[in-house]
Amino acid sequence: MNKLKYIRKEVSIPDTFQNIDNWEVDRRKFLRATLLAGAATQISWFTSCSRQLEQANDYLTAEQSTILKDILMIIFPEDGNGPSANDINSFGYILWVLSDNYRKPEDNEYIMEGINWANETSIEIYDQPFIELSKEEQEKMVELFTEMEWGKNWMSVMVTLVLESLLLDPIYGGNTDEKGWQWLDHVAGVPRPTEETRFESFIHKYKPGQI
Amino acid sequence: MHDICVIGSGAGAGPVIYELSKAGYKVVVLEKGPWIKTEDFTKDEMTATRRDAYIPRHEDEPQVIESPTSSGYKARSTDEGGSDFQNGSCVGGSSNFMSAYFHRLKPKDFRLLSEYGPINGANVVDWPISYDEMEPYYTKVESEVGVSGKVVEHKHLEPRSTPDFPYPPLNSNAVADWFVKAGSELGYNIIPAARGIISTPKKDRKACYHSNYCGSFGCASDAKGSSRAALIPQAVETGNCEILPNSKVFKLETNENGKVIKAHFYNQTGVAQEVEAKIFVVACQAIETSRLLLMSKSEQFPNGLANNSGQVGKNMIFAGGGAGSGILKYDDLSEEDAKALANKNTFVNRCLKDFYEIDDPTFEPCSTSEKGKVKGGTIDFLIEHSNPMPKAVRNKYDNGTLLYGSALKEKLITYFTDQKRVRFEIFCDWLPNDNCFVSLDKEVKDKWGDPVAKVRTGFHNRDIEIGNYLADKAMNVLKQMGAYEIGKSVTGNPPGNLIAGGCRFGNDPKTSVLNKDCRAHEVENLYVTDGSFMPTGGSAPHTFTIYANSFRVAEKIKEHISKI
């Protein structure tokens, strides 16, 4: 069955997504279910995936990393108009965010919940993990996210993170070679942060124990 | 025992710390936050605004905000997200992060009730002092803290004892002249606006170097007149002033005579400690000041310190008004003008005070007023701040639809490189009323286990009417300048950074907490010197007046302690 028909805008949300909307009532419950589902399919992903997976890191598995990078490139694509998410290292910036324990733990869990949710939704619709979808299919999935309450909120968070990776100081991993600032003709304020004054150093110095 | 214990170190505390230390009295300052050094203030959005490192984490020190809704007041803890009233928890307090628009109040602001009559539903009163009593201290702030600008004649110019500001005007973007020209074409007198930022060096402070990252950011040259940069160093130099950062006061203890004898505080490791002093001065920004007094219960003060009148926390005020903006497109301008507008200097420093008082018979509040006129306010003109994240975030949506992909990128490049957003801010009275007050929340606690402040933010509809009247005038100016997408936002949502009231001063102990010297009616050695004293807030940001009043009260404290 061609499940693409289910994600056309004019078609009402199929039962799968109605269920997902219900799950939003209890995000934690949904997360647990999604994680279990992810664990069950993990081995087959590694063996069947034709694309090269990102390296795992301290915060994301290889497949989570690949999903995230794919979504970031949809949010900020290579389209000839300024830098792409890859050009400004949005992925690396988000890894820094995930390492930042000044944030509430649930804020970072939320990023990962969304990645898992994207994958689970892909499997529900296409019987394939997100990274196995064609670019067009991935774009349709992301469009679908923005039409769903929980997905829209998660996407909004991700867009903000991409904007941070575009415009915050390169010291935090994004805005590679100040490409974001150059593209938007932005002149940074001085003094800029140094290793001694960057956020983590500031917190260590003035709010010890909070990071 | 110290002579003076000051709780807080911002604009309301700085002048007392400075004056009493210089007069030879032993001053101890208990500041909740850290002592951030100038060299650690960068223009890093991550630290300043994305992670809000200058305020406590909401989970550590939440506040509960009760906002008006169509179905009554709804409470939420700031730990759950949304706006808050934290504005800089560090030595110097929120004065480190102000934009420093320094407008004096007008003589009529000191007698709002007499000038304009009562307003149904608003607790408007006259101040117990006149403008003339405050004027010398405005002048003192201009020289000691440092105010730059240029005095020009206009119909609401307040009396001054000096002809001009001690520091010349800061540089401004060329658009400043365009505002003036557009105003002139409309018959409006747009004039220079003063800033609490020095334009030439003063002692160890350097002149403003126009980083263009001003409001919300600490100053890296100490040009901005924060209490930390302008006053506290000289107090410390005397050898009479001891600053204790990371010291959160949670109770003022009184003796059997009802005098404050100790301030109890938690140090950085959470250990409860105490200091003794002859006189106590509370200045922790208005909400936290009321909270501390309400928390300081005793046999003599079962409802909180100095609160046998039941007035502590009542009649909180914010800054009424709102803001608006329009877009100037480079393509509409000559090459020379486009280049001038694109200049990175975001200072405009122009304002419109023609409507500080409104006597327009077509304006309904005037026609129904027994005086035929109502209090108006100030319009400040400015350019959108330089820091890019707020600009980017405001482009996330298009008519409510989240943007991403090429559509987002196109919107960003257009917004950042084809145009400049010019803005206005409206300041009018936030009328004191029975639904704007601070109490202690019965459930939510801070990280030390103490009850947090619950702030009800009811507003008077007159504030909205005045705000809209003024915003319409400002929008006329933007239209005259050829701006696009002109809009305004005037709501009853209080700005999180302009807070006053809660311990209003007055002559009647039944209706006020403080006497005209800002000493508690009920406690002979307790003063409150932040914005809490203000029974009405005027139509301008409060900071200049808070500074001036603190210098005024410092004189009263000197007189008082010399007799102890």
Side-chain angles (χ1 to χ4, degrees):
Chain A
M1 184 173 64
N2 181 5
K3 293 187 179 179
L4 262 181
K5 66 181 182 182
Y6 289 123
I7 60 173
R8 287 180 185 150
K9 277 184 177 176
E10 62 273 24
V11 178
S12 62
I13 297 176
D15 289 345
T16 303
F17 292 111
Q18 299 289 3
N19 290 339
I20 287 172
D21 282 340
N22 290 339
W23 285 338
E24 288 166 19
V25 174
D26 185 347
R27 208 152 50 86
R28 301 286 164 206
K29 185 177 168 186
F30 172 53
L31 172 64
R32 285 195 294 274
T34 307
L35 287 173
L36 285 172
T41 57
Q42 191 164 323
I43 294 170
S44 62
W45 288 4
F46 276 117
T47 55
S48 67
C49 180
S50 58
R51 294 183 52 200
Q52 184 178 355
L53 288 167
E54 296 296 322
Q55 293 293 311
N57 51 66
D58 287 347
Y59 308 99
L60 301 172
T61 64
E63 64 274 19
Q64 285 174 322
S65 296
T66 306
I67 294 168
L68 176 58
K69 288 196 82 166
D70 286 349
I71 292 175
L72 293 175
M73 282 300 283
I74 292 170
I75 292 173
F76 228 68
E78 179 66 62
D79 62 357
N81 183 11
S84 68
N86 283 344
D87 293 335
I88 54 176
N89 193 29
S90 300
F91 175 76
Y93 171 75
I94 290 175
L95 287 185
W96 179 83
V97 170
L98 293 173
S99 75
D100 173 17
N101 56 20
Y102 192 75
R103 280 161 58 90
K104 287 182 178 179
E106 52 264 43
D107 289 347
N108 281 344
E109 288 165 14
Y110 183 63
I111 295 172
M112 291 187 280
E113 284 176 31
I115 295 169
N116 293 329
W117 175 77
N119 198 52
E120 179 67 14
T121 307
S122 173
I123 292 169
E124 292 285 349
I125 293 291
Y126 290 103
D127 287 333
Q128 289 187 90
F130 189 87
I131 58 173
E132 286 298 298
L133 301 181
S134 70
K135 190 165 184 295
E136 291 70 27
E137 288 169 332
Q138 287 186 340
E139 287 172 351
K140 286 203 178 292
M141 288 291 298
V142 168
E143 184 181 348
L144 191 65
F145 298 162
T146 64
E147 294 167 1
M148 302 165 67
E149 201 57 39
W150 198 82
K152 184 164 58 182
N153 189 59
W154 184 77
M155 276 293 292
S156 175
V157 170
M158 298 311 292
V159 170
T160 298
L161 290 170
V162 169
L163 294 175
E164 288 183 342
S165 72
L166 178 74
L167 291 166
L168 293 183
D169 197 282
I171 202 167
Y172 298 106
N175 193 8
T176 308
D177 298 331
E178 303 176 17
K179 285 176 185 166
W181 290 344
Q182 288 167 17
W183 177 48
L184 297 180
D185 194 23
H186 174 71
V187 177
V190 291
R192 285 173 51 186
T194 63
E195 286 303 321
E196 288 72 38
T197 57
R198 60 182 291 164
F199 171 68
E200 305 96 311
S201 304
F202 180 91
I203 297 297
H204 275 302
K205 184 171 181 180
Y206 291 114
K207 298 184 172 187
Q210 294 197 8
I211 194 167
Chain B
M1 181 188 291
H2 297 87
D3 293 314
I4 317 280
C5 173
V6 182
I7 298 148
S9 60
V16 172
I17 297 166
Y18 174 86
E19 291 286 352
L20 273 292
S21 297
K22 288 202 338 177
Y25 295 102
K26 295 297 181 188
V27 178
V28 61
V29 180
L30 300 173
E31 165 53 53
K32 182 175 72 172
W35 195 346
I36 304 169
K37 304 302 180 190
T38 301
E39 58 267 28
D40 288 321
F41 281 123
T42 68
K43 305 306 177 184
D44 179 10
E45 283 191 287
M46 179 65 78
T47 298
T49 56
R50 303 308 296 170
R51 292 292 184 274
D52 286 330
Y54 305 138
I55 64 173
R57 289 193 293 195
H58 292 143
E59 59 266 41
D60 290 338
E61 297 183 50
Q63 295 168 325
V64 174
I65 301 175
E66 281 189 314
S67 305
T69 71
S70 55
S71 54
Y73 286 89
K74 292 285 167 61
R76 70 168 168 85
S77 167
T78 53
D79 190 23
E80 298 163 10
S83 59
D84 62 69
F85 294 112
Q86 300 279 6
N87 293 291
S89 182
C90 53
V91 171
S94 59
S95 65
N96 287 296
F97 311 109
M98 63 182 175
S99 293
Y101 287 91
F102 272 27
H103 302 283
R104 293 184 178 200
L105 298 194
K106 315 291 182 194
K108 288 178 179 178
D109 284 313
F110 289 70
R111 45 176 200 270
L112 211 56
L113 181 62
S114 302
E115 287 288 340
Y116 301 102
I119 297 171
N120 192 28
N123 303 326
V124 177
V125 293
D126 290 346
W127 287 27
I129 62 171
S130 68
Y131 172 85
D132 291 344
E133 290 170 83
M134 191 71 92
E135 198 284 334
Y137 302 100
Y138 278 126
T139 301
K140 192 161 195 173
V141 176
E142 290 176 1
S143 61
E144 300 297 294
V145 174
V147 179
S148 59
K150 181 173 177 53
V151 173
V152 297
E153 278 297 326
H154 62 93
K155 69 179 182 180
H156 293 295
L157 178 63
E158 60 282 348
R160 294 180 54 89
S161 56
T162 55
D164 211 339
F165 296 104
Y167 295 89
L170 296 157
N171 295 330
S172 54
N173 188 289
V175 79
D177 292 336
W178 307 352
F179 276 111
V180 174
K181 178 172 179 288
S184 175
E185 289 162 359
L186 294 166
Y188 301 163
N189 184 22
I190 293 177
I191 57 175
R195 305 289 294 268
I197 300 169
I198 54 175
S199 50
T200 55
K202 174 180 169 58
K203 208 165 180 276
D204 295 334
R205 298 167 60 197
K206 299 184 182 73
C208 175
Y209 65 101
H210 292 273
S211 76
N212 301 314
Y213 279 59
C214 194
S216 302
F217 291 84
C219 186
S221 68
D222 284 340
K224 193 192 291 185
S226 69
S227 167
R228 178 193 59 82
L231 300 174
I232 287 176
Q234 293 171 70
V236 172
E237 273 178 19
T238 65
N240 295 321
C241 177
E242 183 182 10
I243 308 283
L244 298 180
N246 303 302
S247 300
K248 164 68 167 62
V249 177
F250 61 92
K251 182 170 183 172
L252 296 175
E253 180 184 336
T254 47
N255 66 10
E256 63 280 5
N257 298 321
K259 283 178 64 174
V260 183
I261 53 171
K262 291 176 185 172
H264 295 264
F265 65 99
Y266 301 110
N267 69 8
Q268 188 158 15
T269 55
V271 176
Q273 299 189 319
E274 60 190 39
V275 297
E276 297 181 7
K278 295 172 185 168
I279 287 178
F280 290 80
V281 178
V282 181
C284 343
Q285 201 163 55
I287 290 171
E288 292 300 311
T289 287
S290 282
R291 177 191 177 209
L292 175 59
L293 298 189
L294 293 170
M295 283 169 59
S296 299
K297 293 175 181 169
S298 64
E299 199 171 313
Q300 291 89 352
F301 300 105
N303 301 314
L305 186 60
N307 193 32
N308 289 337
S309 65
Q311 289 295 307
V312 171
K314 300 292 179 1
N315 293 301
M316 290 296 303
I317 48 177
F318 301 93
S325 67
I327 296 290
L328 295 178
K329 295 186 178 178
Y330 297 141
D331 278 351
D332 291 347
L333 305 172
S334 68
E335 191 175 337
E336 186 182 357
D337 283 350
K339 193 175 171 188
L341 178 62
N343 186 289
K344 301 308 176 189
N345 185 349
T346 54
F347 281 177
V348 174
N349 300 338
R350 295 294 185 278
C351 63
L352 176 58
K353 301 193 182 189
D354 288 0
F355 306 100
Y356 207 83
E357 180 176 88
I358 304 169
D359 56 2
D360 178 352
T362 66
F363 184 43
E364 197 260 340
C366 291
S367 60
T368 56
S369 163
E370 62 183 58
K371 307 270 185 179
K373 61 183 181 180
V374 293
K375 176 71 189 306
T378 300
I379 302 167
D380 272 321
F381 294 105
L382 48 161
I383 293 175
E384 186 172 32
H385 288 193
S386 289
N387 47 314
M389 274 308 295
K391 293 196 246 185
V393 168
R394 68 181 286 122
N395 283 287
K396 272 175 62 177
Y397 290 91
D398 188 23
N399 290 324
T401 300
L402 179 68
L403 293 182
Y404 61 92
S406 295
L408 173 65
K409 295 178 74 175
E410 186 58 33
K411 194 151 187 257
L412 288 173
I413 189 76
T414 299
Y415 190 87
F416 275 79
T417 64
D418 291 355
Q419 58 194 24
K420 187 154 276 192
R421 192 162 73 99
V422 288
R423 301 183 55 240
F424 60 84
E425 292 182 353
I426 304 294
F427 296 93
C428 64
D429 282 86
W430 178 286
L431 292 175
N433 66 83
D434 289 344
N435 276 312
C436 195
F437 60 87
V438 171
S439 58
L440 297 179
D441 193 83
K442 291 185 171 56
E443 295 174 3
V444 181
K445 311 284 188 199
D446 64 17
K447 69 177 179 182
W448 297 280
D450 293 322
V452 306
K454 181 159 71 174
V455 190
R456 179 173 283 200
T457 62
F459 64 92
H460 195 288
N461 199 51
R462 171 65 63 86
D463 307 348
I464 307 295
E465 294 173 318
I466 302 293
N468 275 310
Y469 185 90
L470 295 169
D472 289 345
K473 303 299 182 191
M475 290 167 73
N476 289 343
V477 176
L478 298 192
K479 189 175 178 187
Q480 188 70 19
M481 292 169 73
Y484 298 82
E485 301 174 32
I486 298 170
K488 65 178 176 179
S489 173
V490 176
T491 73
N493 298 328
N497 59 337
L498 296 166
I499 310 164
C503 296
R504 52 171 34 181
F505 73 162
N507 293 323
D508 185 352
K510 293 193 184 78
T511 58
S512 56
V513 177
L514 309 173
N515 69 14
K516 64 184 289 189
D517 295 342
C518 288
R519 178 162 66 167
H521 287 298
E522 302 173 16
V523 185
E524 70 176 64
N525 67 336
L526 174 66
Y527 290 81
V528 174
T529 58
D530 58 17
S532 301
F533 79 98
M534 300 175 83
T536 56
S539 299
H542 308 135
T543 314
F544 194 1
T545 300
I546 292 171
Y547 263 133
N549 186 63
S550 183
F551 273 113
R552 183 185 70 88
V553 176
E555 293 299 314
K556 308 296 180 187
I557 296 173
K558 272 195 259 184
E559 287 173 27
H560 180 172
I561 200 163
S562 69
K563 296 171 187 164
I564 294 177

